[in-house]
Every structure is written in C-alpha cells, then in structure tokens.
Coordinates of all heavy atoms in Angstrom, one line a residue:
V1 N -2.9 3.2 -24.7 CA -3.5 3.4 -23.4 C -2.6 4.4 -22.6 O -1.4 4.2 -22.5 CB -3.6 2.1 -22.6 CG1 -3.9 2.3 -21.1 CG2 -4.6 1.2 -23.2
E2 N -3.2 5.5 -22.1 CA -2.4 6.6 -21.5 C -1.7 6.1 -20.2 O -0.5 6.4 -20.0 CB -3.3 7.7 -21.2 CG -2.6 9.0 -20.8 CD -2.0 9.8 -22.0 OE1 -2.7 9.9 -23.0 OE2 -0.9 10.2 -22.0
A3 N -2.5 5.4 -19.4 CA -1.9 5.0 -18.0 C -2.6 3.7 -17.7 O -3.6 3.3 -18.2 CB -2.2 6.1 -17.0
F4 N -2.1 3.1 -16.6 CA -2.5 1.7 -16.3 C -2.2 1.3 -14.9 O -1.4 1.9 -14.2 CB -1.9 0.7 -17.2 CG -0.4 0.8 -17.3 CD1 0.4 0.1 -16.3 CD2 0.3 1.5 -18.3 CE1 1.8 0.2 -16.3 CE2 1.7 1.6 -18.3 CZ 2.4 0.9 -17.3
L5 N -3.0 0.3 -14.4 CA -2.6 -0.4 -13.2 C -2.6 -1.9 -13.6 O -3.6 -2.4 -14.1 CB -3.7 -0.2 -12.1 CG -3.7 -1.2 -10.9 CD1 -2.4 -1.2 -10.2 CD2 -4.9 -1.0 -10.0
L6 N -1.5 -2.5 -13.4 CA -1.3 -3.9 -13.7 C -1.3 -4.7 -12.4 O -0.2 -4.8 -11.7 CB 0.0 -4.2 -14.5 CG 0.1 -3.4 -15.8 CD1 1.4 -3.9 -16.5 CD2 -1.1 -3.6 -16.7
N7 N -2.5 -5.1 -11.9 CA -2.6 -5.7 -10.6 C -2.4 -7.2 -10.7 O -3.3 -8.0 -10.6 CB -3.9 -5.3 -10.0 CG -3.8 -5.3 -8.4 OD1 -2.8 -5.5 -7.9 ND2 -4.9 -5.0 -7.8
A8 N -1.1 -7.6 -10.9 CA -0.7 -9.0 -11.1 C 0.7 -9.1 -10.6 O 1.4 -8.2 -10.4 CB -0.8 -9.3 -12.6
C9 N 1.0 -10.4 -10.3 CA 2.3 -10.6 -9.7 C 3.4 -10.2 -10.7 O 3.4 -10.5 -11.9 CB 2.5 -12.1 -9.4 SG 1.6 -12.6 -7.9
R10 N 4.5 -9.6 -10.2 CA 5.7 -9.2 -10.9 C 5.3 -8.6 -12.3 O 5.8 -9.1 -13.3 CB 6.6 -10.4 -11.0 CG 7.2 -10.8 -9.7 CD 8.2 -11.9 -9.9 NE 7.5 -13.1 -10.3 CZ 8.1 -14.1 -10.9 NH1 9.4 -14.0 -11.3 NH2 7.5 -15.2 -11.3
S11 N 4.5 -7.6 -12.3 CA 4.0 -7.0 -13.6 C 4.9 -5.9 -14.1 O 4.6 -5.3 -15.1 CB 2.6 -6.5 -13.4 OG 2.5 -5.5 -12.4
Y12 N 6.1 -5.7 -13.4 CA 6.9 -4.5 -13.7 C 7.5 -4.7 -15.1 O 7.6 -3.7 -15.8 CB 8.0 -4.4 -12.7 CG 9.0 -5.5 -12.6 CD1 10.2 -5.5 -13.3 CD2 8.7 -6.6 -11.8 CE1 11.1 -6.6 -13.2 CE2 9.6 -7.7 -11.7 CZ 10.8 -7.7 -12.4 OH 11.6 -8.7 -12.3
E13 N 7.8 -5.9 -15.6 CA 8.4 -6.0 -16.9 C 7.4 -5.7 -18.0 O 7.7 -4.9 -19.0 CB 8.9 -7.4 -17.1 CG 10.2 -7.8 -16.3 CD 10.8 -9.1 -16.7 OE1 10.1 -9.9 -17.4 OE2 11.9 -9.5 -16.3
Q14 N 6.2 -6.1 -17.8 CA 5.2 -5.8 -18.8 C 4.8 -4.3 -18.8 O 4.6 -3.6 -19.8 CB 3.9 -6.6 -18.6 CG 4.1 -8.1 -18.9 CD 4.5 -8.3 -20.3 OE1 3.9 -7.9 -21.3 NE2 5.6 -9.1 -20.5
G15 N 4.8 -3.7 -17.6 CA 4.6 -2.3 -17.4 C 5.7 -1.5 -18.1 O 5.4 -0.4 -18.7
A16 N 6.9 -1.9 -17.9 CA 8.0 -1.2 -18.5 C 7.9 -1.2 -20.1 O 8.2 -0.2 -20.7 CB 9.4 -1.8 -18.1
K17 N 7.5 -2.3 -20.6 CA 7.3 -2.4 -22.0 C 6.1 -1.5 -22.5 O 6.2 -0.9 -23.6 CB 7.1 -3.9 -22.4 CG 8.3 -4.8 -22.2 CD 8.0 -6.2 -22.5 CE 9.2 -7.1 -22.3 NZ 8.9 -8.5 -22.5
L18 N 5.1 -1.4 -21.7 CA 3.9 -0.6 -22.1 C 4.4 0.9 -22.2 O 4.0 1.6 -23.1 CB 2.8 -0.7 -21.1 CG 2.0 -2.0 -21.1 CD1 0.9 -2.0 -20.0 CD2 1.5 -2.4 -22.4
V19 N 5.2 1.3 -21.2 CA 5.7 2.7 -21.2 C 6.7 2.9 -22.4 O 6.6 3.9 -23.1 CB 6.5 3.0 -19.9 CG1 7.2 4.3 -20.0 CG2 5.5 3.0 -18.7
E20 N 7.5 1.9 -22.7 CA 8.4 2.0 -23.8 C 7.6 2.1 -25.1 O 8.1 2.8 -26.1 CB 9.3 0.7 -23.9 CG 10.3 0.7 -25.0 CD 11.1 -0.6 -25.0 OE1 11.1 -1.3 -24.0 OE2 11.7 -0.9 -26.1
K21 N 6.5 1.4 -25.2 CA 5.7 1.4 -26.4 C 4.7 2.6 -26.6 O 4.1 2.7 -27.6 CB 4.9 0.1 -26.5 CG 5.8 -1.2 -26.6 CD 6.3 -1.3 -28.0 CE 7.1 -2.6 -28.1 NZ 7.6 -2.9 -29.5
G22 N 4.6 3.4 -25.6 CA 3.7 4.6 -25.7 C 2.9 5.0 -24.6 O 2.4 6.2 -24.6
S23 N 2.8 4.2 -23.5 CA 2.0 4.7 -22.3 C 2.9 5.8 -21.6 O 4.1 5.8 -21.7 CB 1.8 3.6 -21.3 OG 0.7 2.8 -21.8
T24 N 2.2 6.6 -20.8 CA 2.9 7.6 -20.1 C 3.3 7.2 -18.7 O 4.4 7.5 -18.2 CB 2.0 8.9 -19.9 OG1 1.7 9.4 -21.2 CG2 2.7 10.0 -19.1
G25 N 2.5 6.3 -18.0 CA 2.8 5.8 -16.7 C 1.8 4.9 -16.2 O 0.7 4.7 -16.7
G26 N 2.2 4.2 -15.1 CA 1.3 3.2 -14.5 C 1.8 2.7 -13.2 O 2.8 3.1 -12.7
V27 N 1.0 1.8 -12.6 CA 1.4 1.2 -11.3 C 1.6 -0.3 -11.6 O 0.8 -0.9 -12.3 CB 0.2 1.4 -10.3 CG1 0.6 0.6 -9.0 CG2 0.1 2.9 -10.0
V28 N 2.7 -0.8 -11.1 CA 3.1 -2.2 -11.3 C 3.5 -2.8 -10.0 O 3.7 -2.2 -9.0 CB 4.2 -2.4 -12.4 CG1 3.7 -1.8 -13.7 CG2 5.5 -1.6 -11.9
T29 N 3.8 -4.1 -10.0 CA 4.3 -4.8 -8.8 C 5.7 -5.4 -9.1 O 6.0 -5.8 -10.3 CB 3.4 -6.0 -8.4 OG1 3.4 -7.0 -9.5 CG2 2.0 -5.5 -8.2
L30 N 6.5 -5.4 -8.1 CA 7.9 -6.0 -8.2 C 8.0 -7.4 -7.7 O 9.0 -8.0 -7.8 CB 8.8 -5.1 -7.4 CG 9.0 -3.7 -7.9 CD1 10.0 -2.9 -7.0 CD2 9.5 -3.6 -9.4
A31 N 6.9 -7.9 -7.2 CA 6.9 -9.2 -6.5 C 5.6 -10.0 -6.6 O 4.7 -9.5 -7.2 CB 7.4 -9.0 -5.1

C-alpha cells in the first residue's frame, strides 16, 4: 500500500511499521 490513513487511537506505531515495510507515507494518531 503506497499511502494510508489509520484513523484509530494511537496508530502511530502501526503506521511507522507500515512505512518501514514499504509504504511511502500516511496519516496516524499519537493519542
């Protein structure tokens, strides 16, 4: 998946892993 929006609580860790695994960027939450 090229890019994403993870509209869930504290999704930054999963978003960071998606970027590490191949995504280019996305929107996450810190809280």
Side-chain angles (χ1 to χ4, degrees):
V1 171
E2 191 81 47
F4 53 83
L5 163 61
L6 304 184
N7 211 359
C9 287
R10 291 185 295 156
S11 60
Y12 62 94
E13 288 187 351
Q14 293 302 308
K17 292 174 182 177
L18 292 181
V19 171
E20 180 184 342
K21 296 284 185 173
S23 284
T24 299
V27 176
V28 297
T29 64
L30 295 178

